[in-house]
Coordinates of all heavy atoms in Angstrom, one line a residue:
M26 N 0.8 -1.2 0.0 CA 0.0 0.0 0.0 C 0.9 1.3 0.0 O 0.6 2.2 -0.7 CB -0.9 0.0 1.2 CG -1.8 1.2 1.3 SD -3.3 0.7 2.1 CE -4.4 1.6 1.2
A27 N 1.9 1.3 0.8 CA 2.8 2.4 0.8 C 3.5 2.7 -0.5 O 3.7 3.8 -0.9 CB 3.8 2.3 1.9
A28 N 3.8 1.6 -1.2 CA 4.5 1.7 -2.5 C 3.5 2.4 -3.5 O 3.9 3.2 -4.3 CB 4.9 0.3 -3.0
G29 N 2.2 2.0 -3.4 CA 1.2 2.6 -4.3 C 1.1 4.1 -4.1 O 1.0 4.9 -5.0
L30 N 1.1 4.6 -2.8 CA 1.0 6.0 -2.5 C 2.3 6.7 -3.0 O 2.1 7.9 -3.5 CB 0.9 6.2 -1.0 CG -0.5 5.8 -0.4 CD1 -0.5 6.0 1.1 CD2 -1.6 6.6 -1.0
R31 N 3.4 6.1 -2.9 CA 4.7 6.8 -3.4 C 4.6 6.9 -4.9 O 5.0 7.9 -5.5 CB 5.9 5.9 -3.0 CG 6.3 6.2 -1.6 CD 7.7 5.6 -1.4 NE 7.6 4.1 -1.5 CZ 7.8 3.3 -0.5 NH1 8.0 3.7 0.7 NH2 7.7 2.0 -0.7
A32 N 4.0 5.9 -5.6 CA 3.9 6.0 -7.0 C 2.9 7.1 -7.4 O 3.2 7.8 -8.4 CB 3.5 4.7 -7.6
V33 N 1.9 7.2 -6.7 CA 0.9 8.2 -7.1 C 1.5 9.6 -6.9 O 1.3 10.5 -7.7 CB -0.4 8.0 -6.2 CG1 -1.3 9.3 -6.3 CG2 -1.1 6.8 -6.6
R34 N 2.2 9.8 -5.8 CA 2.8 11.1 -5.5 C 3.9 11.4 -6.6 O 4.1 12.5 -7.0 CB 3.5 11.1 -4.1 CG 2.4 11.2 -3.1 CD 3.1 11.4 -1.7 NE 2.1 11.3 -0.7 CZ 2.3 10.9 0.6 NH1 3.5 10.5 0.9 NH2 1.3 10.8 1.4
R35 N 4.7 10.4 -7.0 CA 5.8 10.5 -7.9 C 5.3 11.0 -9.3 O 5.8 11.8 -10.0 CB 6.6 9.3 -8.0 CG 7.8 9.4 -9.0 CD 8.6 8.2 -9.2 NE 8.9 7.5 -7.9 CZ 9.1 6.2 -7.8 NH1 8.9 5.4 -8.8 NH2 9.4 5.7 -6.6
W36 N 4.2 10.4 -9.7 CA 3.6 10.7 -11.0 C 2.7 11.9 -11.0 O 2.2 12.3 -12.1 CB 2.9 9.5 -11.6 CG 3.8 8.3 -11.9 CD1 5.1 8.4 -12.3 CD2 3.5 7.0 -11.7 NE1 5.6 7.1 -12.4 CE2 4.7 6.2 -12.1 CE3 2.4 6.2 -11.2 CZ2 4.7 4.8 -12.0 CZ3 2.5 4.9 -11.2 CH2 3.6 4.2 -11.6
G37 N 2.5 12.5 -9.9 CA 1.7 13.7 -9.8 C 0.3 13.5 -10.0 O -0.4 14.4 -10.5
L38 N -0.2 12.4 -9.6 CA -1.7 12.1 -9.7 C -2.5 12.7 -8.6 O -3.7 12.7 -8.6 CB -1.9 10.6 -9.8 CG -1.3 9.9 -11.0 CD1 -1.5 8.4 -11.0 CD2 -1.8 10.5 -12.3
V39 N -1.8 13.2 -7.5 CA -2.5 13.8 -6.4 C -2.6 15.3 -6.7 O -1.7 15.9 -7.1 CB -1.8 13.5 -5.1 CG1 -2.4 14.2 -3.9 CG2 -1.7 12.0 -4.8
A40 N -3.8 15.8 -6.5 CA -4.0 17.2 -6.7 C -3.3 18.0 -5.6 O -3.5 17.8 -4.4 CB -5.5 17.6 -6.6
A41 N -2.4 18.9 -6.1 CA -1.6 19.7 -5.1 C -2.4 20.9 -4.8 O -3.2 21.4 -5.6 CB -0.3 20.1 -5.8
P42 N -2.3 21.4 -3.5 CA -3.0 22.6 -3.2 C -2.5 23.8 -4.0 O -1.3 23.9 -4.4 CB -2.6 22.8 -1.7 CG -1.4 22.0 -1.5 CD -1.4 20.9 -2.5
P43 N -3.4 24.7 -4.4 CA -2.9 25.8 -5.3 C -2.0 26.7 -4.5 O -2.1 27.0 -3.3 CB -4.2 26.5 -5.6 CG -5.2 26.2 -4.5 CD -4.8 24.8 -4.1
S44 N -1.0 27.3 -5.2 CA -0.1 28.2 -4.6 C -0.8 29.5 -4.5 O -1.7 29.9 -5.2 CB 1.2 28.3 -5.4 OG 0.9 28.9 -6.7
L45 N -0.3 30.3 -3.6 CA -0.9 31.6 -3.3 C -0.8 32.6 -4.4 O -1.5 33.5 -4.6 CB -0.3 32.2 -2.0 CG -0.6 31.5 -0.7 CD1 0.1 32.1 0.4 CD2 -2.1 31.4 -0.5
A46 N 0.2 32.4 -5.3 CA 0.4 33.3 -6.4 C -0.8 33.2 -7.4 O -1.0 34.1 -8.2 CB 1.7 32.9 -7.1
F47 N -1.5 32.1 -7.5 CA -2.5 31.9 -8.5 C -3.9 32.0 -7.9 O -4.9 31.8 -8.6 CB -2.4 30.5 -9.1 CG -1.1 30.4 -9.9 CD1 -0.1 29.5 -9.5 CD2 -0.8 31.1 -11.0 CE1 1.1 29.4 -10.1 CE2 0.4 31.0 -11.7 CZ 1.4 30.1 -11.3
T48 N -4.0 32.3 -6.7 CA -5.4 32.5 -6.1 C -5.8 33.9 -6.1 O -4.9 34.8 -6.0 CB -5.4 31.9 -4.6 OG1 -4.4 32.6 -3.9 CG2 -5.1 30.4 -4.6
R49 N -7.1 34.1 -6.1 CA -7.6 35.5 -6.0 C -8.6 35.6 -4.9 O -9.3 34.6 -4.5 CB -8.4 35.8 -7.3 CG -7.5 36.0 -8.5 CD -8.3 36.2 -9.8 NE -9.4 37.1 -9.6 CZ -10.3 37.3 -10.6 NH1 -10.2 36.7 -11.7 NH2 -11.3 38.2 -10.4
S50 N -8.6 36.7 -4.2 CA -9.5 36.9 -3.1 C -10.8 37.4 -3.6 O -11.0 38.1 -4.6 CB -8.9 38.0 -2.1 OG -9.8 38.2 -1.1
A51 N -11.9 37.0 -2.9 CA -13.2 37.4 -3.2 C -13.5 38.8 -2.7 O -14.4 39.5 -3.1 CB -14.3 36.5 -2.7
F52 N -12.7 39.3 -1.8 CA -12.9 40.6 -1.2 C -11.7 41.5 -1.6 O -10.6 41.1 -1.6 CB -13.0 40.5 0.3 CG -14.0 39.5 0.8 CD1 -13.7 38.3 1.2 CD2 -15.4 39.9 0.8 CE1 -14.7 37.4 1.6 CE2 -16.3 39.1 1.2 CZ -16.0 37.8 1.6
V53 N -12.0 42.7 -1.8 CA -11.0 43.7 -2.2 C -10.9 44.7 -1.0 O -11.9 45.3 -0.6 CB -11.4 44.5 -3.4 CG1 -10.4 45.6 -3.8 CG2 -11.6 43.5 -4.6
V54 N -9.7 44.8 -0.5 CA -9.5 45.7 0.6 C -8.8 47.0 0.1 O -7.8 46.9 -0.6 CB -8.5 45.0 1.7 CG1 -8.3 46.0 2.8 CG2 -9.2 43.7 2.2
K55 N -9.5 48.1 0.4 CA -8.9 49.4 0.1 C -8.7 50.2 1.3 O -9.4 50.1 2.3 CB -9.7 50.1 -1.0 CG -11.1 50.3 -0.7 CD -11.8 50.9 -1.9 CE -13.3 51.1 -1.6 NZ -14.0 51.7 -2.7
K56 N -7.7 51.1 1.2 CA -7.4 51.9 2.4 C -8.6 52.9 2.6 O -9.1 53.5 1.7 CB -6.1 52.7 2.1 CG -5.5 53.3 3.3 CD -4.2 53.8 3.0 CE -3.5 54.4 4.3 NZ -2.2 54.9 4.0
A57 N -9.0 53.0 3.9 CA -10.1 53.9 4.3 C -9.6 55.4 4.1 O -8.5 55.7 4.5 CB -10.5 53.7 5.7
N58 N -10.5 56.2 3.5 CA -10.3 57.6 3.4 C -10.9 58.3 4.5 O -12.1 58.6 4.4 CB -10.8 58.1 2.0 CG -10.4 59.5 1.7 OD1 -9.7 60.1 2.5 ND2 -10.8 60.0 0.6
N59 N -10.2 58.7 5.6 CA -10.8 59.3 6.7 C -11.1 60.8 6.5 O -11.7 61.4 7.3 CB -9.9 59.1 7.9 CG -9.8 57.7 8.4 OD1 -10.7 57.0 8.2 ND2 -8.7 57.3 8.9
A60 N -10.5 61.4 5.4 CA -10.7 62.8 5.1 C -12.2 63.0 4.6 O -12.7 64.0 4.8 CB -9.7 63.3 4.1
Q61 N -12.7 62.0 3.9 CA -14.1 62.1 3.4 C -14.9 60.9 3.8 O -15.0 59.9 3.1 CB -14.0 62.1 1.8 CG -13.3 63.4 1.3 CD -13.2 63.3 -0.2 OE1 -13.4 62.3 -0.8 NE2 -13.0 64.4 -0.8
P62 N -15.5 60.9 5.0 CA -16.3 59.8 5.5 C -17.5 59.6 4.7 O -18.1 60.5 4.1 CB -16.6 60.1 6.9 CG -16.4 61.6 7.0 CD -15.4 62.0 6.0
N63 N -18.0 58.4 4.6 CA -19.3 58.1 3.9 C -20.4 58.5 4.8 O -20.8 57.7 5.7 CB -19.3 56.6 3.6 CG -20.4 56.2 2.7 OD1 -21.4 57.0 2.6 ND2 -20.4 55.0 2.1
W64 N -21.0 59.6 4.6 CA -22.0 60.2 5.5 C -23.3 59.4 5.5 O -24.0 59.3 6.5 CB -22.3 61.6 5.3 CG -21.1 62.5 5.6 CD1 -20.3 63.1 4.8 CD2 -20.6 62.7 6.9 NE1 -19.3 63.8 5.5 CE2 -19.4 63.5 6.8 CE3 -21.0 62.3 8.2 CZ2 -18.7 63.9 7.9 CZ3 -20.2 62.7 9.3 CH2 -19.1 63.5 9.2
L65 N -23.6 58.7 4.4 CA -24.8 57.9 4.4 C -24.6 56.7 5.4 O -25.5 56.4 6.1 CB -25.0 57.3 3.0 CG -26.2 56.4 2.8 CD1 -27.5 57.1 3.1 CD2 -26.2 55.8 1.4
R66 N -23.5 56.0 5.3 CA -23.3 54.9 6.3 C -23.2 55.4 7.7 O -23.7 54.7 8.6 CB -22.0 54.2 5.9 CG -22.1 53.4 4.7 CD -20.9 52.5 4.5 NE -21.0 51.7 3.3 CZ -20.1 50.9 2.9 NH1 -19.0 50.7 3.6 NH2 -20.3 50.1 1.8
V67 N -22.6 56.6 8.0 CA -22.5 57.1 9.3 C -23.9 57.4 9.8 O -24.3 57.0 10.9 CB -21.7 58.4 9.3 CG1 -21.8 59.1 10.7 CG2 -20.2 58.1 9.0
G68 N -24.8 58.0 9.0 CA -26.2 58.3 9.3 C -27.0 57.1 9.6 O -27.8 57.0 10.5
L69 N -26.8 56.1 8.7 CA -27.5 54.8 8.9 C -27.1 54.1 10.2 O -27.9 53.6 11.0 CB -27.3 53.9 7.8 CG -28.0 54.2 6.5 CD1 -27.6 53.3 5.3 CD2 -29.5 54.0 6.7
A70 N -25.8 54.2 10.6 CA -25.3 53.5 11.8 C -25.9 54.2 13.0 O -26.4 53.5 13.9 CB -23.8 53.5 11.8
F71 N -25.8 55.5 13.1 CA -26.3 56.3 14.2 C -27.8 56.2 14.3 O -28.4 56.1 15.4 CB -25.8 57.7 14.2 CG -24.4 57.9 14.7 CD1 -23.4 58.3 13.9 CD2 -24.1 57.6 16.0 CE1 -22.1 58.4 14.3 CE2 -22.8 57.7 16.5 CZ -21.8 58.1 15.6
G72 N -28.5 56.3 13.1 CA -30.0 56.2 13.1 C -30.5 54.8 13.6 O -31.4 54.8 14.3
T73 N -29.8 53.8 13.2 CA -30.2 52.4 13.6 C -30.0 52.3 15.1 O -30.8 51.7 15.8 CB -29.4 51.4 12.8 OG1 -29.6 51.6 11.4 CG2 -29.8 50.0 13.3
S74 N -28.9 52.8 15.6 CA -28.6 52.7 17.0 C -29.6 53.5 17.8 O -30.1 53.0 18.8 CB -27.2 53.3 17.3 OG -26.9 53.2 18.7
A75 N -30.0 54.7 17.4 CA -31.0 55.5 18.1 C -32.4 54.8 18.0 O -33.1 54.8 19.1 CB -31.1 56.9 17.4
A76 N -32.7 54.2 16.9 CA -34.0 53.5 16.8 C -34.0 52.3 17.7 O -35.1 52.1 18.4 CB -34.2 53.1 15.4
L77 N -33.0 51.6 17.8 CA -32.9 50.4 18.7 C -33.0 50.8 20.2 O -33.7 50.2 21.0 CB -31.7 49.6 18.5 CG -31.7 48.8 17.2 CD1 -30.3 48.1 16.9 CD2 -32.8 47.7 17.2
W78 N -32.3 51.9 20.6 CA -32.4 52.4 21.9 C -33.8 52.9 22.2 O -34.3 52.6 23.3 CB -31.4 53.5 22.2 CG -30.1 53.0 22.6 CD1 -29.0 53.0 21.8 CD2 -29.7 52.5 23.9 NE1 -27.9 52.4 22.6 CE2 -28.4 52.2 23.8 CE3 -30.5 52.3 25.1 CZ2 -27.7 51.6 24.9 CZ3 -29.8 51.8 26.1 CH2 -28.5 51.4 26.1
A79 N -34.5 53.6 21.3 CA -35.9 54.0 21.5 C -36.8 52.8 21.7 O -37.6 52.8 22.6 CB -36.3 54.9 20.4
L80 N -36.6 51.8 20.9 CA -37.4 50.6 21.0 C -37.2 49.9 22.4 O -38.1 49.4 23.0 CB -37.1 49.6 19.9 CG -37.9 48.4 19.8 CD1 -39.4 48.7 19.4 CD2 -37.4 47.4 18.7
L81 N -35.9 49.8 22.8 CA -35.6 49.2 24.1 C -36.2 50.0 25.2 O -36.8 49.4 26.1 CB -34.1 49.2 24.2 CG -33.5 48.6 25.5 CD1 -33.7 47.1 25.5 CD2 -32.0 48.9 25.6
I82 N -36.1 51.3 25.2 CA -36.7 52.1 26.3 C -38.2 52.0 26.3 O -38.8 51.9 27.4 CB -36.2 53.6 26.2 CG1 -34.7 53.6 26.5 CG2 -37.0 54.5 27.1 CD1 -34.1 55.0 26.1
K83 N -38.9 52.0 25.1 CA -40.3 51.9 25.0 C -40.7 50.5 25.6 O -41.7 50.4 26.4 CB -40.7 52.0 23.6 CG -42.2 51.8 23.3 CD -42.5 51.9 21.9 CE -43.9 51.5 21.5 NZ -44.1 50.1 21.3
Q84 N -40.0 49.4 25.2 CA -40.4 48.1 25.7 C -40.2 48.0 27.2 O -41.0 47.4 27.9 CB -39.5 47.1 25.0 CG -39.9 45.6 25.4 CD -41.3 45.3 24.9 OE1 -41.7 45.5 23.8 NE2 -42.0 44.6 25.8
H85 N -39.1 48.6 27.7 CA -38.9 48.6 29.2 C -40.0 49.3 29.9 O -40.5 48.8 31.0 CB -37.5 49.3 29.5 CG -37.3 49.5 30.9 ND1 -37.0 48.5 31.8 CD2 -37.3 50.6 31.7 CE1 -36.9 49.0 33.0 NE2 -37.1 50.3 33.0
N86 N -40.4 50.5 29.4 CA -41.5 51.2 30.1 C -42.8 50.4 30.1 O -43.6 50.4 31.1 CB -41.7 52.6 29.4 CG -40.6 53.5 29.7 OD1 -39.9 53.3 30.7 ND2 -40.4 54.5 28.8
E87 N -43.1 49.7 29.0 CA -44.3 48.8 28.9 C -44.2 47.7 29.9 O -45.2 47.3 30.6 CB -44.5 48.3 27.5 CG -44.9 49.3 26.5 CD -45.0 48.8 25.1 OE1 -44.7 47.6 24.9 OE2 -45.3 49.6 24.2
D88 N -43.0 47.1 30.0 CA -42.8 46.0 31.0 C -43.0 46.5 32.4 O -43.6 45.8 33.2 CB -41.4 45.4 30.8 CG -41.3 44.6 29.5 OD1 -42.3 44.3 28.9 OD2 -40.1 44.3 29.1
V89 N -42.4 47.7 32.7 CA -42.6 48.2 34.1 C -44.1 48.5 34.4 O -44.5 48.1 35.5 CB -41.7 49.5 34.3 CG1 -42.1 50.2 35.6 CG2 -40.3 49.1 34.3
T90 N -44.8 49.0 33.4 CA -46.2 49.3 33.6 C -47.0 48.0 33.9 O -47.8 47.9 34.8 CB -46.8 50.0 32.4 OG1 -46.0 51.2 32.2 CG2 -48.2 50.4 32.6
E91 N -46.7 47.0 33.1 CA -47.4 45.7 33.2 C -47.0 45.1 34.6 O -47.9 44.5 35.3 CB -46.9 44.7 32.1 CG -47.6 43.4 32.2 CD -49.1 43.4 31.9 OE1 -49.6 44.4 31.4 OE2 -49.7 42.4 32.2
Y92 N -45.8 45.2 35.0 CA -45.4 44.6 36.3 C -46.1 45.3 37.5 O -46.6 44.7 38.4 CB -43.8 44.8 36.5 CG -43.3 44.5 37.9 CD1 -43.2 43.2 38.3 CD2 -43.0 45.6 38.8 CE1 -42.8 43.0 39.6 CE2 -42.6 45.3 40.0 CZ -42.4 44.0 40.4 OH -42.0 43.7 41.7
E93 N -46.2 46.7 37.4 CA -46.9 47.4 38.4 C -48.4 47.0 38.4 O -49.0 46.9 39.5 CB -46.8 48.9 38.2 CG -45.3 49.4 38.4 CD -44.8 49.3 39.8 OE1 -45.7 49.3 40.8 OE2 -43.6 49.2 40.0
R94 N -49.0 46.9 37.3 CA -50.4 46.5 37.2 C -50.7 45.1 37.8 O -51.6 45.0 38.6 CB -50.9 46.5 35.7 CG -52.4 46.3 35.5 CD -52.8 46.2 34.1 NE -52.2 45.1 33.4 CZ -52.7 43.8 33.5 NH1 -53.7 43.6 34.2 NH2 -52.1 42.8 32.8
R95 N -49.8 44.2 37.5 CA -50.0 42.8 38.0 C -49.7 42.8 39.5 O -50.4 42.1 40.2 CB -49.1 41.8 37.3 CG -49.5 41.6 35.9 CD -48.7 40.5 35.3 NE -49.1 40.3 33.9 CZ -48.7 39.2 33.2 NH1 -47.9 38.3 33.7 NH2 -49.1 39.1 31.9
K96 N -48.7 43.6 40.0 CA -48.4 43.6 41.4 C -49.6 44.2 42.2 O -49.9 43.7 43.3 CB -47.1 44.4 41.6 CG -46.6 44.3 43.0 CD -45.3 44.9 43.2 CE -45.4 46.4 43.4 NZ -44.2 47.1 43.7
A97 N -50.2 45.2 41.7 CA -51.3 45.9 42.4 C -52.6 44.9 42.4 O -53.3 44.9 43.3 CB -51.7 47.2 41.7
R98 N -52.8 44.2 41.3 CA -53.9 43.3 41.2 C -53.8 42.1 42.1 O -54.7 41.6 42.7 CB -54.2 42.9 39.8 CG -55.5 42.2 39.6 CD -55.7 41.8 38.1 NE -54.7 40.7 37.8 CZ -54.5 40.3 36.6 NH1 -55.1 40.8 35.6 NH2 -53.6 39.3 36.4
A99 N -52.6 41.6 42.2 CA -52.3 40.3 43.0 C -52.3 40.5 44.5 O -52.5 39.6 45.2 CB -51.0 39.8 42.5
H100 N -52.2 41.7 45.0 CA -52.1 42.0 46.4 C -53.5 42.2 47.0 O -54.0 43.3 46.9 CB -51.2 43.2 46.7 CG -51.0 43.5 48.1 ND1 -50.0 42.8 48.8 CD2 -51.5 44.3 49.0 CE1 -50.0 43.2 50.1 NE2 -50.9 44.1 50.2
K101 N -54.0 41.1 47.5 CA -55.4 41.2 48.1 C -55.4 40.4 49.4 O -56.0 39.4 49.6 CB -56.4 40.6 47.1 CG -56.6 41.4 45.9 CD -57.6 40.8 45.0 CE -57.7 41.6 43.7 NZ -58.7 41.0 42.8
C102 N -54.8 41.0 50.4 CA -54.8 40.3 51.7 C -55.9 41.0 52.6 O -56.3 42.2 52.3 CB -53.5 40.4 52.4 SG -52.9 42.0 52.8
K103 N -56.4 40.3 53.6 CA -57.5 40.9 54.4 C -57.0 42.0 55.3 O -57.8 42.8 55.8 CB -58.1 39.8 55.3 CG -58.8 38.7 54.4 CD -59.5 37.7 55.2 CE -60.2 36.7 54.3 NZ -60.9 35.7 55.0
Q104 N -55.7 42.0 55.6 CA -55.2 43.0 56.5 C -55.2 44.4 55.9 O -55.4 45.4 56.5 CB -53.8 42.7 57.0 CG -53.8 41.4 57.8 CD -52.4 40.9 58.0 OE1 -51.5 41.3 57.3 NE2 -52.2 39.9 58.9
C105 N -54.9 44.4 54.6 CA -54.8 45.7 53.9 C -56.2 46.2 53.5 O -56.4 47.4 53.2 CB -54.0 45.6 52.6 SG -52.3 45.1 53.0
S106 N -57.2 45.4 53.4 CA -58.6 45.8 52.9 C -59.3 46.5 54.0 O -59.3 46.4 55.1 CB -59.4 44.6 52.5 OG -58.7 43.9 51.5

């Protein structure tokens, strides 16, 4: 079996991994231009962040209101009445 593997390697029948010189990247990296920021992306990032915070605060206030409502309804002891 080992002799067979040596023969396959010697005759080049095994696919060799491609060298880095012949590969291409799917992504192109370019240097960021900090002198001219992309204001559309900046606005979308800050706008999304503000919208998520507003949604979080709104949901928190609704949860606190529901908690207070349930706490007031559940408290029915004879001593307090």
Side-chain angles (χ1 to χ4, degrees):
M26 178 149 220
L30 288 176
R31 280 191 296 250
V33 168
R34 286 184 188 152
R35 183 183 310 151
W36 293 325
L38 299 176
V39 175
S44 65
L45 294 178
F47 297 112
T48 60
R49 290 176 41 188
S50 175
F52 304 101
V53 178
V54 178
K55 55 184 174 179
K56 195 171 184 179
N58 186 2
N59 293 330
Q61 295 177 343
N63 187 344
W64 291 111
L65 177 62
R66 287 188 178 181
V67 171
L69 284 172
F71 280 114
T73 303
S74 180
L77 287 173
W78 272 105
L80 185 66
L81 180 70
I82 291 169
K83 177 181 171 275
Q84 185 65 46
H85 172 71
N86 290 338
E87 289 175 1
D88 289 345
V89 168
T90 304
E91 180 68 17
Y92 171 75
E93 294 294 333
R94 186 184 65 80
R95 288 186 182 195
K96 189 170 85 170
R98 189 179 70 189
H100 185 79
K101 294 183 180 178
C102 65
K103 295 183 179 182
Q104 296 167 346
C105 296
S106 300

